Amino acid sequence: MRKGIKKLVGLEGSPQYVASGFALGSFIGMLPFPGFQMILSLGAASLLKVHKSAAVLGVFNTNIATGLFVFAFNYWIGRSILGFENSFVMPDALGWRFIAAVFNAGSDVFLALILGGIITGIPSALLSFYGLRYLLEKKGKRRDEKGIVLHHNHGMNEHSSANGNEKYTVITGASMGLGKHLAIQCAKRGRNVLLTSLPGEDVLAFAQELAKRYSIKAHGFEADLATANGVLSFSNWVEDNFEIDVLINNAGIGGTQRFSEASSEYLNKLLMLNTHTLVMLTHRLLPMLKKSEKAFILNIASMASFGPMPFKTVYPASKAFVYSFSRGLGSELKGSNVFVSVAHPGGMTTNPEVTERIRSHNGLVRFMMLSPEKTAEICIQQLFRHDSLIIPGLGNKVNWLLMKLFPVWLRLILFRKTLVKEIHTSALKKSHKLASS
């Protein structure tokens, strides 16, 4: 057991990435497919983009820890719920004999085993995920503490005094929310950063704070990137003063409201920032990226980009554009020195307004939310691991899989029900505020 834990803790990757793989394997280990579980876990891990080795270890750990007992227990649960009377005699070993016995016993037995496996697999996966993530994060904190001591003792980082490289990472929308934590993650890795945000959001002070805290070079630039002049002035500033090897297009806006009630100014700003700015900034800075030995582009899309949504309408369409543009550009640049990745974060508590909206949803939705800190960590980790499609967190991966399986008409009904409630709650709060003032 200790050897298995050591092997898991020693796996490379973010705590979220490794723990998600182990949780997936723990879940699959509860399903009645012995002999095929390893293959199934590898296929599912590839599809969901979680740690493959951890998924295999999760299956192995479940089989060793529970053996045939778990299948007998799962069958008892499934039979009780489905109301089956027939009994099933467990074979004395896992593998082909077990599969043959299930096959010969009929569909009722198989359905009962599947249902029982899902019921016991969910808590097993959750326990595996949170337990392993805690161990990995604890180990990571100890490593970071040692790294900080060494960092201050030697005064070096991987992109400046360590190798003489003066390259910078460009991050848009970097003063708050996900953008701010993307900047912190880059700074933690010793990367010099160029940050931009709207005037009045203290991006210059934030850049100075990062430079001082992590001994890197950091500069801020205030500009409204929703305007052509803002994009031009920022890209000129970058071109004239710096060399870059990473571009992170994070700036964007969204919201929930009826399309008929949205102002033309709001819709224009959303389209400009979420699509036009991203394309034009990438086009302007791509020649600079091509000059580096190795360069990266990370475009921040959204889980909303995988399908239409009522009461958001334009936002998911704009993020679907980001997804399509990113995958197309990535294919175009394949074989070059520039790697393109697109990330699809779900809802995050990035500001008080968004936090309030999230709290209006049900407990399951809130449970599946990731913090901007954790989302940023996963995005940067997977970007430098050359993952072209990043879906942070196990909950978002499950959502993505369900969106692939459910027809659009059904998703629209579910989204409409949730978002109508959100709009109604928001309207009530506004009316209460107006009444109290």
Side-chain angles (χ1 to χ4, degrees):
M1 190 74 173
R2 280 185 182 178
K3 200 175 281 185
I5 291 171
K6 280 184 178 178
K7 194 175 282 188
L8 274 168
V9 172
L11 290 173
E12 287 187 14
S14 70
Q16 188 88 12
Y17 178 63
V18 176
S20 296
F22 189 64
L24 176 67
S26 300
F27 178 80
I28 290 172
M30 293 290 184
L31 300 179
F33 305 109
F36 294 97
Q37 289 170 332
M38 298 292 186
I39 296 169
L40 190 61
S41 67
L42 283 171
S46 296
L47 184 67
L48 297 173
K49 291 190 175 290
V50 296
H51 203 293
K52 296 184 184 70
S53 299
V56 170
L57 284 168
V59 170
F60 182 75
N61 178 73
T62 302
N63 288 168
I64 292 297
T66 60
L68 281 167
F69 168 77
V70 74
F71 294 110
F73 183 65
N74 288 348
Y75 180 66
W76 176 77
I77 292 173
R79 188 183 67 171
S80 301
I81 293 172
L82 296 171
F84 296 153
E85 295 297 329
N86 54 319
S87 59
F88 173 60
V89 179
M90 285 287 159
D92 56 3
L94 291 171
W96 291 106
R97 193 181 300 175
F98 180 90
I99 294 167
V102 172
F103 182 77
N104 293 328
S107 59
D108 286 358
V109 171
F110 182 69
L111 284 172
L113 282 165
I114 285 283
L115 180 59
I118 291 170
I119 290 169
T120 57
I122 290 171
S124 172
L126 289 172
L127 188 64
S128 300
F129 175 77
Y130 287 107
L132 182 58
R133 192 177 73 173
Y134 171 77
L135 289 173
L136 291 169
E137 285 177 346
K138 195 173 178 182
K139 179 195 173 191
K141 281 177 184 175
R142 287 200 300 266
R143 188 179 61 238
D144 288 345
E145 284 167 7
K146 289 179 183 177
I148 288 168
V149 172
L150 289 171
H151 182 73
H152 286 297
N153 285 344
H154 297 289
M156 295 167 63
N157 68 68
E158 65 176 274
H159 290 281
S160 55
S161 40
N163 58 16
N165 194 339
E166 291 293 330
K167 302 288 187 182
Y168 284 80
T169 295
V170 173
I171 305 173
T172 65
S175 63
M176 62 181 68
L178 179 59
K180 182 175 183 178
H181 291 286
L182 288 167
I184 291 170
Q185 286 297 320
C186 288
K188 277 184 177 180
R189 288 164 171 77
R191 301 194 64 87
N192 302 320
V193 292
L194 302 176
L195 313 176
T196 180
S197 74
L198 286 167
E201 293 185 349
D202 296 326
V203 73
L204 303 178
F206 177 50
Q208 289 176 355
E209 179 189 330
L210 289 180
K212 185 178 179 181
R213 185 175 177 185
Y214 297 104
S215 300
I216 60 163
K217 293 183 179 180
H219 303 278
F221 189 93
E222 295 185 337
D224 184 357
L225 295 184
T227 65
N229 284 337
V231 174
L232 186 63
S233 61
F234 176 64
S235 55
N236 283 341
W237 176 71
V238 174
E239 289 171 334
D240 293 343
N241 299 287
F242 307 99
E243 292 181 8
I244 66 170
D245 60 354
V246 179
L247 168 62
I248 300 178
N249 286 305
N250 167 72
I253 57 169
T256 305
Q257 59 183 308
R258 298 179 189 277
F259 179 72
S260 58
E261 294 174 3
S263 67
S264 299
E265 291 78 13
Y266 167 77
L267 293 174
N268 183 61
K269 185 176 181 180
L270 188 152
L271 288 169
M272 283 291 292
L273 196 58
N274 291 10
T275 60
H276 183 268
T277 295
L278 182 143
V279 170
M280 296 313 296
L281 199 57
T282 303
H283 189 258
R284 285 293 303 270
L285 299 182
L286 184 57
M288 293 185 70
L289 293 168
K290 285 183 173 180
K291 291 177 183 177
S292 293
E293 184 181 344
K294 191 182 289 185
F296 298 84
I297 297 172
L298 173 61
N299 294 326
I300 304 299
S302 167
M303 287 298 294
S305 63
F306 295 123
M309 298 174 74
F311 305 107
K312 287 185 180 288
T313 55
V314 182
Y315 176 75
S318 71
K319 291 301 184 179
F321 174 91
V322 174
Y323 168 75
S324 180
F325 168 74
S326 302
R327 298 309 295 266
L329 182 63
S331 179
E332 187 177 322
L333 294 172
K334 192 172 183 179
S336 75
N337 65 312
V338 182
F339 178 80
V340 181
S341 183
V342 58
H344 296 268
M348 293 173 287
T349 53
T350 52
N351 59 53
E353 184 187 342
V354 174
T355 303
E356 196 172 313
R357 282 210 311 265
I358 288 170
R359 283 175 181 162
S360 70
H361 293 295
N362 61 49
L364 180 61
V365 172
R366 293 198 303 272
F367 173 74
M368 297 180 101
M369 297 284 177
L370 275 185
S371 67
E373 295 94 328
K374 185 57 66 178
T375 302
E377 181 187 348
I378 295 168
C379 286
I380 297 301
Q381 183 94 30
Q382 292 191 222
L383 172 68
F384 293 131
R385 203 165 47 225
H386 291 82
D387 283 341
S388 56
L389 178 66
I390 301 170
I391 301 176
L394 185 61
N396 286 327
K397 289 181 175 68
V398 171
N399 279 339
W400 175 74
L401 193 59
L402 292 174
M403 288 172 82
K404 292 282 184 184
L405 296 173
F406 288 0
V408 172
W409 64 267
L410 180 57
R411 280 186 271 148
L412 287 171
I413 290 171
L414 295 172
F415 283 138
R416 179 180 172 80
K417 185 179 178 181
T418 302
L419 295 172
V420 162
K421 181 185 173 185
E422 183 180 309
I423 288 175
H424 182 66
T425 304
S426 178
L428 280 175
K429 286 180 178 176
K430 281 181 182 176
S431 64
H432 285 320
K433 283 179 182 177
L434 287 171
S436 62
S437 60

